[in-house]
Structure formats: C-alpha cells, structure tokens
Amino acid sequence: MNTPKPLLTKTELRKSLLQTRKSRSPEAWREKSDRICSHLQTSPPFTQAKTILAYFSFRQEPDLSPLFTIPKKWGFPRCVGKELSWHIWQPGDALQTGAYGILEPLPDAPKIDHSEVDLILVPAVGCDLRGYRLGYGGGYYDRMLSKAEWKSKVAIGIIFEFSLLAQLPVDSWDQPLHGICTESGNLKFNKI
Ligand SMILES: Nc1nc2c(c(=O)[nH]1)N(C=O)[C@@H](CNc1ccc(C(=O)N[C@@H](CCC(=O)O)C(=O)O)cc1)CN2
Ligand SMILES: Nc1ncnc2c1ncn2[C@@H]1O[C@H](COP(=O)(O)OP(=O)(O)OP(=O)(O)O)[C@@H](O)[C@H]1O
C-alpha cells in the first residue's frame, strides 16, 4: 500500500497552525484550556500519576496552570544546550525567563530523575491521528523520548482540536505519543 505524501512540509504546517492559534480570542483560549484540564484531570494516566512533567504555556499553547495546584510532584523543563533538564516546581516557587522567552524553574531547583516520572504532558504545535507530533523545530522532545530511559513513559500531547491533523509528515527521528488530549477529550493510541 502506498502511504500518501503529505501536501505540506513541517515548516509550512508549523507556520499555518501557529498563525491560526495566534488568531483566536483570549476567551476561547481560556475556555478550551480549562476543558483540556478537566479531561486530563479525570483520565487514568493522570489520576494514577505521582510525578508529572508539564510545561509553562508559551505562544498561546493550551494553559495547564490550573492543574499545578493539584498535589502531585510537578516537573518543568529548562533548555540546557540541546537537552531538557527537568526540575521540581510548585506554585509560589521562583521562575525565570529562559531560552526562547519561556518561563523556566531556577537552575538550582531540585532535579527530577527519570525513574520517578509517571506521565509527560507534551506541548505541541500539532499532532496527527497516529500520535505523531509537530513541535517548534528544536527536536528537544524527540531527542528526549528516543532515549531508553524515557521510551517507556506515557507521553500525552496537549493541543487544541484544530491542531489535530489526519497525517503529519514524519521523519526518522519522530517519536509517536501514547495519547492526545484536546478540548474535545482524550485520544489513546497503541504506540506504533
Ligand atoms: N511551553 C513550552 N515549553 C517548552 C517547549 C515547548 O514546545 N513549549 N519545548 C519543546 O521543545 C522546549 C523549547 N523548544 C523550542 C524550540 C524552538 C523554539 C523556537 O522559537 N524556534 C524558532 C525557529 C527555530 C528554527 O527553526 O531553527 C521559531 O519558532 O521561531 C521555541 C521553543 C522546552 N520548553
Ligand atoms: N533523537 C534525536 N537525536 C538527534 N537529533 C534529533 C533527534 N530527534 C530530533 N533531532 C533533530 O531535531 C531537529 C528538529 O526536529 P523536528 O523538526 O522534528 O522538531 P520538533 O519535534 O518540531 O521540535 P520540538 O521537539 O523541539 O518541539 C531535527 O533537525 C533533528 O535532526
């Protein structure tokens, strides 16, 4: 069977999805972000997780911050060179603006070891129905999720429904996710 060639490149899709995301109202962003939080909060991977890796919303990404007061061990990334370094953060702790203008925990915040991580909430520009993800092009999550110690972790892409596409272009290094959460609900995949 032939796999159809996607009509747009990753760069073109990234540009178009980011433009659409930027054009929507702050009210829609808040309301849809809250619906994503509600779906996540009741999903088994979330309720069963003790330690969760998340992100601070940037460029109108879904805002998960209402979840951060739920008693879990929460980890957030710092961009260090080409790698992500994960640190414990809880509301009230200091933050700083890091690479790309994204909020990050301070470098001396306690680090989270991969062995304790139960769930990864992965920011994305877009995802497809097979669980493939398009990011900002830095390759940070692909590099991380390709490592043996992270491969087995449940990783869920967080996007607004409009960013869920039938099929994204896929490169050899792309790591499919286990699930996707949008304002319409949770999608679960058998990882490819
Ligand atoms: N909220 C959030 N935090 C995150 C990520 C994310 O996607 N969302 N990341 C996920 O990895 C890492 C940051 N990755 C990023 C990678 C590239 C660009 C960026 O601005 N890239 C340029 C183009 C660069 C190029 O094409 O060479 C741009 O979009 O203008 C931003 C963030 C870590 N923290
Ligand atoms: N496992 C890996 N090892 C080395 N380089 C990698 C790996 N995964 C991805 N890369 C590099 O990262 C670059 C960006 O890849 P891609 O455009 O798929 O990023 P993205 O998934 O959109 O970004 P991000 O994960 O930062 O949100 C590619 O040029 C690729 O060479």
Side-chain angles (χ1 to χ4, degrees), residues 55-56 58-59 61 77 79 84 100 102 123 133 136 138 140-141:
Y55 63 88
F56 293 111
F58 155 75
R59 292 193 187 156
E61 287 169 338
C79 292
L84 297 175
Y100 311 109
I102 304 176
R133 163 183 177 276
Y136 295 111
Y140 287 97
Y141 281 90

Side-chain angles (χ1 to χ4, degrees), residues 10 14 82 122-125 133-147 171 173-175:
K10 279 189 174 183
R14 192 176 282 128
K82 293 199 156 219
V122 185
V125 174
R133 163 183 177 276
L134 177 71
Y136 295 111
Y140 287 97
Y141 281 90
D142 287 327
R143 270 190 298 277
M144 174 177 149
L145 297 174
S146 69
K147 292 191 179 134
D171 289 307
W173 57 80
D174 282 320
Q175 300 293 320

Side-chain angles (χ1 to χ4, degrees), residues 27-128:
E27 293 75 23
W29 174 77
R30 181 72 270 149
E31 188 245 333
K32 290 175 201 301
S33 294
D34 288 346
R35 281 166 58 191
I36 290 173
C37 291
S38 305
H39 291 305
L40 276 176
Q41 216 179 323
T42 53
S43 71
F46 185 95
T47 55
Q48 288 161 19
K50 291 194 175 73
T51 302
I52 303 180
L53 302 185
Y55 63 88
F56 293 111
S57 168
F58 155 75
R59 292 193 187 156
Q60 294 85 31
E61 287 169 338
D63 176 24
L64 302 183
S65 63
L67 297 175
F68 304 158
T69 52
I70 297 175
K72 305 270 183 195
K73 192 185 267 191
W74 288 98
F76 294 85
R78 300 186 67 249
C79 292
V80 181
K82 293 199 156 219
E83 303 295 320
L84 297 175
S85 166
W86 293 93
H87 299 260
I88 297 176
W89 181 89
Q90 55 186 19
D93 288 354
L95 287 170
Q96 65 182 28
T97 304
Y100 311 109
I102 304 176
L103 287 175
E104 295 184 344
L106 302 191
D108 60 356
K111 278 207 172 199
I112 294 198
D113 189 70
H114 61 80
S115 61
E116 55 183 325
V117 172
D118 303 306
L119 175 63
I120 311 174
L121 303 177
V122 185
V125 174
C127 290
D128 78 12

Side-chain angles (χ1 to χ4, degrees), residues 5-14 16 165 167-169:
K5 191 179 177 300
L7 295 173
L8 296 176
T9 63
K10 279 189 174 183
T11 308
E12 290 163 341
L13 284 167
R14 192 176 282 128
S16 155
L165 307 179
Q167 202 173 57
L168 281 169

